[in-house]
Amino acid sequence: MIQNRRKFSIELENLNTKVFDMGIEVISSFKKVLIACKDSDIDLATEVKEHDIIINDIEISINVDGYLLIAKQCPVAGDLRRIITAIKISNDLERIADYSVNIAKYLIKTKYDNSVHIESISKLGEHIIKMLEGIMTAFKDEDIELALDINSMDEILDDEYDKEVKGLINISKTASNIELEEAMRALLVLKQIERAGDHITNIAENIVYLVNGKRVELN
Amino acid sequence: MNSIFEIDNLNLHYDDFQALKDINIRIEKNKVTALIGPSGCGKSTFLRCLNRMNDLIDSCKITGEIEFKEENIYTSNYDVISLRTKVGMVFQKPNPFPMSIYDNVAYGPRCQGIKDKNILDEIVATSLKSSALYEEVRDRIKESALSLSGGQQQRLCIARAIAMEPEVILMDEPTSALDPIATLRIEELMNELKKKYTIIIVTHSMHQAARISDNTAFFLMGELIEFDKTNKIFTTPKNQKTEDYITGRFG
């Protein structure tokens, strides 16, 4: 059989690569912000904040490429699913990157001792990095089984988040105003890490759709 | 499914060449069914089986069953003239008769013995309205049909088919000779016509099939590879051959 649409196939491959590269950027952003937390490195936190514009640009570029391919190539079936999922996954990755920026902002703005909270943020943050690395591998290999394994890690994240929230509630019972303020701000950050897990779940759903066209609700 | 055609184990040979292989399919009433596939896949041959147009080819041998409204159309005593009245056909190239617009549409009813001018006037007007041509030609209905544009001529051919009050309209690449705007008008028309008629269309345009049809059948080398809802075929086809064809990877 004659192979057609070589140019289109290359463009689809490039779109895929862009999504994978965006995932690497987001993982890097999350890793850096956790190092910044551990080392109280405000410069590194500032770098994470400023680097976000590049991640946003990649997302826009993936969206534009996707829209152009839809308009010009009229894709169907697997090709259409690939473009739609690239657009959707890039949106989820962009949101996850926003959460790493919010952790960086939290670090930059913190005025008081927050070492207890940093420990909690790091713990949940490390879990997110493992999930992110796994889900991007699942995306690259189009591995539904791995995507579902990563999805199940979100439950562990939710349990850990609940534990941390209960801990913060206990602290607040006897806390001074300053401690209470820090606890509240830490709670907001922890919530965002928990939300990052939900976005990874969305990516898992899109990987399933990409591979077999089935819509599943995992979250 | 409310089927109007039920086809079982249909095999068709042109002498030694087998053009259709064991086709089993149900055609849903009041829906648009698109037949797609590369050239020579058997889709037009299959379409022509549905109103026994292949009877005109001596080398053609058909086995299996085609039931139209639960009656096998290939029995020796089946009334073929009546079948072709109920199952009309529109061809790739607009083929109006070299006579007036009015006479083109009135031709079939006149052949059936209708002579009353009032009745014929009404049939012509209704048919032209149904084919979305009436407004464009009402002032020149006695002029030659050959003066119409290609798109108008094709709609006239649809009106001519409608005048016979068919139940099914077969269309063999009805827009391949038309420009994009005329094509869109015919496509829009099909959407209206399916409320009253069952439409089966052969098309080389995958995107036309995606735009206009409810069900799609993919043929390849005389075999029916996949038949499903159009929404399913164009998002998640089951067969890799279907996926390869509709995504343009071969053909």
Side-chain angles (χ1 to χ4, degrees), chain B residues 42 53 57 93 97 101 132 190 205 210-211 233:
Chain B
M53 290 287 277
I57 302 167
K93 205 172 161 217
F97 303 138
I101 295 167
M190 278 185 239
S205 163
R211 281 194 297 269
I233 292 276

Side-chain angles (χ1 to χ4, degrees), chain A residues 15-206:
Chain A
L15 187 71
N16 232 32
T17 306
K18 251 186 205 179
V19 175
F20 186 72
D21 290 347
M22 185 179 177
I24 290 171
E25 288 290 340
V26 176
I27 293 166
S28 165
S29 177
F30 238 96
K31 279 183 174 168
K32 277 183 188 168
V33 84
L34 290 188
I35 293 168
C37 283
K38 277 176 196 158
D39 300 344
S40 301
D41 187 341
I42 301 301
D43 288 343
L44 189 57
T46 308
E47 187 189 315
V48 168
K49 196 177 130 193
E50 287 171 357
H51 187 71
D52 190 49
I53 194 164
I54 290 169
I55 293 174
N56 290 347
D57 283 348
I58 300 174
E59 190 221 356
I60 291 168
S61 163
I62 289 167
N63 283 317
V64 170
D65 288 356
Y67 300 151
L68 283 175
L69 286 174
I70 290 170
K72 288 158 71 177
Q73 299 285 357
C74 303
V76 294
D79 294 341
L80 180 62
R81 297 204 303 274
R82 184 167 299 286
I83 297 169
I84 298 291
T85 50
I87 292 170
K88 295 189 83 167
I89 290 173
S90 71
N91 290 349
D92 282 312
L93 287 172
E94 192 273 334
R95 292 305 301 273
I96 295 168
D98 283 347
Y99 297 143
S100 73
V101 170
N102 288 343
I103 299 170
K105 285 180 183 169
Y106 162 77
L107 200 64
I108 293 163
K109 285 182 188 166
T110 298
K111 297 174 206 152
Y112 310 105
D113 174 37
N114 63 350
S115 49
V116 181
H117 306 314
I118 290 294
E119 207 175 297
S120 308
I121 290 167
S122 297
K123 197 163 112 191
L124 266 62
E126 295 291 350
H127 194 81
I128 282 293
I129 287 169
K130 277 186 200 151
M131 287 178 75
L132 268 174
E133 286 174 335
I135 207 68
M136 292 319 295
T137 303
F139 172 73
K140 191 181 173 193
D141 299 342
E142 298 184 5
D143 184 341
I144 291 182
E145 210 170 308
L146 179 59
L148 295 176
D149 285 348
I150 299 302
N151 173 68
S152 61
M153 287 173 74
D154 189 46
E155 285 173 31
I156 301 166
L157 182 73
D158 289 345
D159 291 345
E160 287 295 325
Y161 168 73
D162 287 342
K163 270 187 217 161
E164 295 299 337
V165 170
K166 279 174 190 153
L168 288 174
I169 291 168
N170 278 338
I171 289 172
S172 65
K173 284 175 186 164
T174 56
S176 65
N177 281 349
I178 289 171
E179 287 168 337
L180 192 59
E181 186 187 327
E182 278 307 316
M184 293 292 282
R185 282 165 32 78
L187 177 64
L188 293 175
V189 171
L190 288 169
K191 180 67 194 166
Q192 300 218 328
I193 297 176
E194 188 271 329
R195 286 291 299 140
D198 295 340
H199 285 284
I200 292 170
T201 297
N202 290 346
I203 296 174
E205 288 173 359
N206 278 305

